[in-house]
Every structure is written in C-alpha cells, then in structure tokens.
Amino acid sequence: DDVYSDDLREIIHRHATKGIPPLPPPGSAPTVDLLNCSYGELISMAMGSKGDPKLSSLQKMLSADMREPAYRAKVIKHVTSAFRTQTMSLAKHPGGNYALQYLVEAARLLPVGTPSRAAFVSLLQNLLKTVQDFATHGRGTYLAQRLLASCLDLGEAALATHALQGAIGRLAVDPVGNYVVQKLVDAILIHSDSNRKVGPKQEGWEDLLGSVCEQMAPQGILLMDACNGVMCIGFVSYLSRARTHPAVARSASVFVAKAAEQLAGSKAGNRTLGGILKLGIPDIPKKVISAVKGKLVKLLLDEENNSHRVIRHCLGASYRNQPATCAKDVAVPVVCAVMKTAGAVCEQSPFGMDVLAYALSLMDEPTAQMYYTPLRSEIGHNVEAVYGAVHQYRSIEAEIQCLQ
C-alpha cells in the first residue's frame, strides 16, 4: 500500500529536489496520445532537437497534469518500457536527457508498489548504473540527482545505493559528482526514522548509510578538496547519524589512517578530526596521535588554528572510552613528544602546557612522577604549576566519574 499522502509527497519532493534546476516548460506543441505510439516512435520523439514539435509534444504530455490516475499509470509504464531499450543513448542526448527527467517527475506521482511504479524503479536502477560514468557533467549530474530525489521509500533508496556501488567514492571527491552522493544520502536519511529492513540482505537505513561511508572513507584528504570541504563535513555528519553501526567504526578508522596527518593543523581539518573523535569510537584517538606524532609539538604551539584542541580531544576521548589503555596509548606518547621541547611550549603556548598537564593527569601517580624530574630541567619552577594543574584535572575527572 502507498503510505504517502499527496501533501507528504510534495514536502518530500521539495526537499529532495532542492538545488536541482527546474525543468524548462515544454512550450506549445500538439497533444499526442502516447499510448498509441510505438517504442520506436517514442524514442524518435525523445531524440529530437531543441524546438522539435515531436520532442515538445512528448515533454508536454509527460509534464501535463494527467488527472486520471489509471491513464497516468499506463502512459508512464508504456514510456518507461520504451526508454529502457535505449537508456545510454537517451541519457547522453540533450533532448533524450530532458525527456528522461520529465518522465522521472511524472513517475513521482505513482503509488509505491504498483506495477507502473515497479517498472519505473527498474528503469531508475538501469539509469543510475548508466549515468554514473558521466554524473560529473551537467546533464548527467542533474539526471542522477533527479532520479535519487524520486526515491519514495527505503526499498527504492536501497536499489539506488546498490546501483551506484563502486562509483560513490569517485563521485564524492568530484566538485560536481559530490552533489549526487548528497542526494543519495538524502534519499536514505529521509527514512531514518524507520526500522524497516529491505532487500535480500535485509538492510536497514544504517546499513545503507554505512555502505556509503565505507566507500567515501578511503578518499581521505581528497574529501576536503571536494566542493570546498562540503563532503568532508558531510562524511563526519553521516558517521554521526549511524554511530552505533559497525561500518562507522571501520570507515572512521580508514579515514583517519588516510587523512589525519594532513588534516591536523588547518581549521577545517581540526574541526573534522574533532567531529570524528567525538563519535566515541575506540582506537581512533590512538590512531590520530600515531598519525600526527611527527608534528605534535607544532600542533601544540599553533594557537591561530586551535590545533592543540585535536590533542586535547584525543586525550579526553581515549580516557572516556578506553580508560585502561589511555595512559599507555595516548597520554605517554603526548608527554614523551613534548619533553625535549617543553621549554619552548611553556614559553610560547599556555594552551600547550595545559594539554601537557591534562595528559599527566590521566596517568597514575607513579607513572606521572617519572616525568617531573626531566620536566623540571626543561621548564624549571614552572613544573610546580603543571603539577598543580594535574591535581586539579584529576579532581575534575573524579567528580565526572561520580556524576556518571
């Protein structure tokens, strides 16, 4: 049964097609009964040049308000069956591409689960597989976006996700193609309040979103370059939406391994890493510290971009998610990296010394005491201030533990 009212369809459609240019009006053209046209005639009409009356007639009939639902369903099913024989040719042809987009717009009025809608969804799959190769160009990307915006339930979003399998990573880092990935994620997240499982693998929305993230993660730093970093920000946002899914941990781990060293130090990169660390995924803080170990002191001295916060986030996230191994995996590497240049950090960055004190506070007292003597030789009497901050941080952490 179709679960969408006409009003809800319109709301979903307005949201899903945001950013896609509206289709041009078909203009004046003679009315044609498309049901009486053969497949060959329909293809010929669609392949007409701009201003061709036959192409205009086809566009007019597909965009017309066909008030009789039964007639509308028959027309769309007939045109869909015809277009399935020439998907690649139509998608690459200027007139054919517009004809396909008019068909997509008409098909959104079909009730979910009907034979006519099923025929259209089959075309949608074929078109997405076809169009992914040139979805980085104007006509291809608008057609792909409109196809994804036409998905009316989680089952259709799943079919669209599988149709784009293998191309998502490549599209995500393209200045034009990344909009296709955004529309795919929109198609999935519209149904994120549903517990429904679809397809032979019984996938839920988190499974589909996890699949998208896993294909984006290996692109690493390239995501930051896509459309002024929008896909990097989007990637972290997608991870946060399905944070409990196993694919999220895998995706975050791959992404950090690929990109952490290059991201740390820039404002956008620091925000990205901070967002990933806030997900609370075990082992991520350790991997970030390992990746930035060679420039850790430089990050602590970088007050302009607040890079010290990345190290602070690593320490806090590690302590809250893996307290037993926090000292060994994160706190000790931070302190050891700072020891030989503690004097410079002390003189140039109060924030850096604050991070050093926080790292020491996460160790047990005997371990922390091992570092005070070498620290004194580097920063002299300032070690007393560090020692006081350590005890203050321990008190705060103890109070937090009591509240939890």
Side-chain angles (χ1 to χ4, degrees):
D1 294 337
D2 189 10
V3 296
Y4 292 95
S5 67
D6 289 342
D7 288 344
L8 183 56
R9 278 176 184 274
E10 198 55 44
I11 292 170
I12 291 174
H13 178 68
R14 280 202 305 271
H15 170 77
T17 55
K18 187 177 180 180
I20 304 175
L23 290 169
S28 59
T31 300
V32 178
D33 187 353
L34 299 181
L35 288 177
N36 291 330
C37 296
S38 67
Y39 288 0
E41 289 174 324
L42 290 172
I43 297 294
S44 176
M45 292 168 72
M47 298 285 232
S49 58
K50 185 177 179 180
D52 187 319
K54 290 184 178 180
L55 174 60
S56 297
S57 293
L58 176 63
Q59 293 176 348
K60 178 181 178 181
M61 292 308 298
L62 288 174
S63 62
D65 184 10
M66 295 178 280
R67 297 185 181 280
E68 170 50 43
Y71 176 74
R72 179 198 304 138
K74 288 179 182 178
V75 168
I76 293 173
K77 186 177 180 181
H78 183 58
V79 175
T80 297
S81 299
F83 283 5
R84 280 194 64 184
T85 63
Q86 297 285 338
T87 51
M88 176 68 83
S89 300
L90 288 167
K92 290 188 173 182
H93 188 277
N97 189 285
Y98 271 129
L100 285 168
Q101 292 192 54
Y102 278 109
L103 176 61
V104 172
E105 284 294 292
R108 73 181 176 88
L109 301 171
L110 294 173
V112 175
T114 60
S116 298
R117 182 71 193 178
F120 170 75
V121 170
S122 178
L123 175 68
L124 180 147
Q125 281 183 281
N126 287 343
L127 274 172
L128 284 174
K129 290 176 183 176
T130 297
V131 83
Q132 63 180 244
D133 292 329
F134 62 105
T136 55
H137 304 288
R139 281 197 297 271
T141 192
Y142 291 141
L143 175 57
Q145 289 179 57
R146 205 175 290 279
L147 285 163
L148 292 166
S150 72
C151 293
L152 288 181
D153 69 358
L154 190 63
E156 294 180 6
L159 292 173
T161 303
H162 295 311
L164 289 173
Q165 198 81 15
I168 291 172
R170 173 174 55 81
L171 293 173
V173 297
D174 184 86
V176 175
N178 76 81
Y179 291 107
V180 175
V181 180
Q182 291 180 59
K183 290 300 179 188
L184 173 61
V185 173
D186 281 347
I188 296 169
L189 290 182
I190 282 174
H191 309 288
S192 61
D193 59 344
S194 168
N195 294 321
R196 186 181 169 203
K197 304 289 185 181
V198 296
K201 295 182 180 179
Q202 286 297 287
E203 296 170 299
W205 70 269
E206 287 182 316
D207 300 305
L208 299 176
L209 189 56
S211 171
V212 173
C213 289
E214 285 194 293
Q215 293 184 63
M216 290 174 66
Q219 302 300 328
I221 193 67
L222 294 176
L223 289 174
M224 185 60 78
D225 298 328
C227 199
N228 297 320
V230 69
M231 288 312 287
C232 208
I233 296 167
F235 173 73
V236 178
S237 173
Y238 307 154
L239 292 180
S240 69
R241 291 297 295 266
R243 66 173 67 218
T244 59
H245 197 275
V248 168
R250 293 194 298 268
S251 301
S253 182
V254 170
F255 178 79
V256 164
K258 292 274 186 181
E261 183 180 5
Q262 292 167 282
L263 288 175
S266 67
K267 286 184 178 179
N270 292 338
R271 285 198 300 270
T272 300
L273 289 175
I276 290 179
L277 288 162
K278 287 176 183 177
L279 296 175
I281 300 169
D283 295 328
I284 292 296
K286 177 183 176 181
K287 290 185 177 183
V288 172
I289 291 296
S290 177
V292 303
K293 194 173 182 179
K295 59 177 185 179
L296 201 146
V297 173
K298 182 180 177 182
L299 295 176
L300 291 179
L301 294 173
D302 179 20
E303 293 185 23
E304 181 181 352
N305 296 312
N306 291 320
S307 298
H308 64 278
R309 290 183 179 177
V310 172
I311 313 303
R312 189 72 158 70
H313 282 316
C314 286
L315 290 162
S318 178
Y319 183 71
R320 284 169 176 74
N321 296 300
Q322 292 181 303
T325 59
C326 171
K328 177 172 69 73
D329 291 343
V330 181
V332 169
V334 169
V335 173
C336 289
V338 176
M339 289 297 289
K340 293 182 180 180
T341 54
V345 174
C346 181
E347 290 176 10
Q348 299 178 41
S349 175
F351 295 115
M353 291 308 292
D354 182 69
V355 172
L356 175 62
Y358 186 53
L360 288 165
S361 76
L362 301 180
M363 304 175 185
D364 57 43
E365 187 60 25
T367 305
Q369 285 291 343
M370 293 168 51
Y371 296 99
Y372 287 129
T373 301
L375 264 177
R376 187 179 295 279
S377 67
E378 287 289 328
I379 62 175
H381 67 277
N382 287 311
V383 76
E384 304 302 333
V386 172
Y387 191 64
V390 167
H391 283 283
Q392 188 176 6
Y393 275 127
R394 283 180 180 159
S395 299
I396 293 171
E397 290 293 344
E399 288 180 19
I400 292 173
Q401 291 295 325
C402 290
L403 289 173
Q404 290 176 340

